Amino acid sequence: MPPAEAAPAGQTESLGPHAAHVRAAVDRLTTERFLERCWRKDASLWTQDPAEQHDIRQRLGWLTIADAMRGRVEELRCFAEEIKEARFTHALLLGMGGSSLFPEVCRLTFGATPSGVDVGVLDSTDPAAIRALARRAPLERTLAVISSKSGTTAEVSALTKYFYERFEAAAAGHPGDHCVAVTDAGTPLEALARELRFRRVFILGPDSGQDIGGRFSALSYFGLVPAALLGLTLETLIERGREMLDRCGPGSPAHDNPALRLGAALGTLAEAGRDKVTFLFPAALSSFGAWLEQLIAESTGKQGKGVAPVVGEPLLEPARYSPDRLFIELQLSGEPDSGLDRHVGALAGLGHPVIRIRLQDRYDLGGEAVKWSLATTVAGGLLGVNPFSEPNVWESKHLTKALLEQYARDRRLPERTPLASDGPLAVYGAVSPSPRTVAGAFSALFRLRRSGDYLAFLSFLPRTAAVDAALNALRSAAARRLGIATLLEIGPRYLHSTGQLYKGGRDCGLFLLLTADEREDLPIPGEPFTFGALKQAQALGDFEAMQQKGRRILRVHLGDGPERTLLQLQRLLETALGQS
């Protein structure tokens, strides 16, 4: 195994021939006083456009939010005690993207303590997912935490209407007593919360997180309100963030600065063709991957550039990985996964660049959130992109809105003629030559594969154990047979994260977007469309946006029995993979 580069405690690097280039990037960043200028909110680090610079200066509050939130720990603790005293046993966070991902990390990594409540996270328009989470507890014991930075997020607005009406119908006191809002000052959500007399409104103002973009908001109210409800020790979570900021600040020696070194590796290796950063987690830390995925993909994936985060990919034989990867292993020092460690050692031994990160305990995730936020902005500077914008996210939203307007008029979404079909399974898109069979359509897509590509499955299917298992089997088969990086994304969640990379980043993806009929739909109070129609419009809108970008994509519709049809899809994909 190549010797590990000297690195700060908790982070070691084996970068092989790339090490000298990363050191040179660190030296360049030091000469340019990158960190000093970052702390001074010098937006010229990322763009020369005056309008973009103005926006960036309104998005750097995460550099000081840990200090600000220390003064709000007692407020949050008292709020959590109030909820327990009101005999709530469960909370349901309604959010999307930056407002929901770190709460999910806290829920899955720590769980609820004896002093906390059980917090579920709902960031979907899938009727099955909504039903499943709505059944977790009696309505009279459930608190809804409605989180949206803009206060206009379409999915959150729909979920708010649905659950408010259910609280009203349950006649368990005033429905507003079951609702809490987390949003920026002056948003429509704040106005709605005041109008409907929500129990509490947590406002992100000028000194409490309004100047933070959603994906950088882990240590603001967006992350800390649900963490307080879970009963976590907020002082420790925040302090780990402050300690990491001190280690990564302008006063830290550059070559001992973990965020600077990490960001330099991300940016330098991406420019060298190793732009698939592959995360390897033990089960205890696996949920952190989804948070990292949004941070990296949405921040770097624009202007035809970007870093593709690969999360949750089934392990392959070390020799099967393509030479476009950077591997990053996160482990808990006190709970090492020796099998994973051996796998990473074998990868380093084969010459793949590897970064190993060791956390002393789960609360170190507060520090990791800060370190990765800074590292991502460093990588953005090296790549020449603005890490605080998401210019291509609106494209799917715009097309979804148009489809929903059509649905409101016609009571149905537009129908298209499939390329090919096989029983309930139908394939849509454009590949050449025009295929006669479904397997032929897949083969035509795979023949478009180029060196450095990845394959992404974009699933708008119901979240069930059987569906999840079948999707992972598809992903594993594709990784083994094609020898390329694979990603599995859940819609509509990914529209707020990797969706930016897929449309704005480098054209190096093959995409299979999966849809199905809605077996049991749910109405959205006050809207002329249902949750099922909203989810389908989001899928079709993103499919159209990807086609307009010239992306190599097929949509696969699985009829009304996706658990069954996925087995058929796997057989057809295996056939196509064998011909590729």
Side-chain angles (χ1 to χ4, degrees), residues 403 406 410-418 428 540 555:
L403 286 165
Q406 181 173 344
D410 304 338
R411 307 309 300 171
R412 61 184 177 85
L413 292 168
E415 296 180 2
R416 303 283 187 253
T417 302
Y428 300 81
L540 296 176
R555 178 169 75 92

Side-chain angles (χ1 to χ4, degrees), residues 286-445:
S286 61
S287 64
F288 193 51
W291 185 85
L292 285 170
E293 187 178 52
Q294 180 190 28
L295 176 72
I296 294 169
E298 196 168 25
S299 298
T300 67
K302 56 205 76 170
Q303 296 172 220
K305 305 176 184 179
V307 177
V310 182
V311 175
E313 185 179 51
L315 294 182
L316 302 175
E317 289 296 319
R320 292 289 298 157
Y321 289 103
S322 50
D324 56 357
R325 309 259 198 157
L326 163 64
F327 292 93
I328 298 183
E329 176 198 21
L330 274 79
Q331 292 243 32
L332 288 165
S333 294
E335 305 173 35
D337 182 328
S338 57
L340 183 60
D341 211 33
R342 286 192 298 272
H343 184 76
V344 173
L347 291 168
L350 290 171
H352 288 290
V354 166
I355 298 176
R356 284 174 152 148
I357 297 171
R358 295 291 183 269
L359 312 184
Q360 59 180 319
D361 59 36
R362 287 163 172 79
Y363 278 98
D364 265 0
L365 288 175
E368 285 300 300
V370 167
K371 180 174 75 178
W372 280 95
S373 294
L374 186 54
T376 301
T377 65
V378 169
L382 290 173
L383 293 170
V385 300
N386 173 5
F388 306 104
S389 69
E390 46 284 328
N392 301 101
V393 169
W394 71 271
E395 293 162 354
S396 294
K397 293 181 180 180
H398 175 75
L399 292 167
T400 296
K401 181 180 178 182
L403 286 165
L404 289 173
E405 289 171 350
Q406 181 173 344
Y407 182 91
R409 290 193 308 270
D410 304 338
R411 307 309 300 171
R412 61 184 177 85
L413 292 168
E415 296 180 2
R416 303 283 187 253
T417 302
L419 280 175
S421 59
D422 187 335
L425 195 151
V427 176
Y428 300 81
V431 288
S432 181
S434 185
R436 295 182 178 181
T437 65
V438 171
F442 296 148
S443 294
L445 178 68

Side-chain angles (χ1 to χ4, degrees), residues 222-293:
F222 283 118
L224 296 182
V225 169
L229 289 170
L230 285 165
L232 304 192
T233 307
L234 299 186
E235 296 94 334
T236 303
L237 193 65
I238 294 169
E239 190 58 30
R240 298 290 173 85
R242 291 186 69 256
E243 290 170 358
M244 185 60 76
L245 275 172
D246 289 341
R247 289 180 60 197
C248 298
S252 173
H255 287 280
D256 291 330
N257 186 313
L260 197 65
R261 294 181 66 137
L262 181 58
L266 290 172
T268 302
L269 270 74
E271 289 193 315
R274 287 191 178 261
D275 57 353
K276 318 297 187 302
V277 56
T278 303
F279 290 97
L280 302 172
F281 300 100
L285 297 176
S286 61
S287 64
F288 193 51
W291 185 85
L292 285 170
E293 187 178 52

Side-chain angles (χ1 to χ4, degrees), residues 438-448 554 572 575-580:
V438 171
F442 296 148
S443 294
L445 178 68
F446 295 147
R447 282 195 294 272
L448 299 175
L554 293 175
L572 293 170
T575 299
L577 289 167
Q579 298 170 352
S580 300

Side-chain angles (χ1 to χ4, degrees), residues 181-229:
V182 184
T183 189
D184 277 2
T187 66
L189 177 55
E190 181 190 1
L192 179 71
R194 306 292 187 199
E195 177 189 343
L196 298 181
R197 295 170 23 220
F198 280 15
R199 173 180 286 272
R200 185 68 177 268
V201 186
F202 289 94
I203 297 298
L204 284 79
D207 61 345
S208 57
Q210 191 170 16
D211 55 349
I212 302 177
R215 57 187 175 275
F216 293 86
S217 65
L219 296 184
S220 74
Y221 279 134
F222 283 118
L224 296 182
V225 169
L229 289 170

Side-chain angles (χ1 to χ4, degrees), residues 457-511:
F457 294 92
L458 312 178
S459 174
F460 285 83
L461 304 179
R463 293 299 305 276
T464 68
V467 167
D468 286 352
L471 289 173
N472 279 306
L474 284 174
R475 182 182 190 182
S476 182
R480 289 195 315 272
R481 300 293 288 271
L482 293 177
I484 63 176
T486 59
L487 294 84
L488 173 58
E489 307 293 349
I490 304 302
R493 166 193 276 193
Y494 81 84
L495 299 177
H496 298 259
S497 58
T498 50
Q500 169 61 44
L501 172 77
Y502 297 152
K503 289 180 282 292
R506 188 163 70 87
D507 180 15
C508 59
L510 302 172
F511 300 94

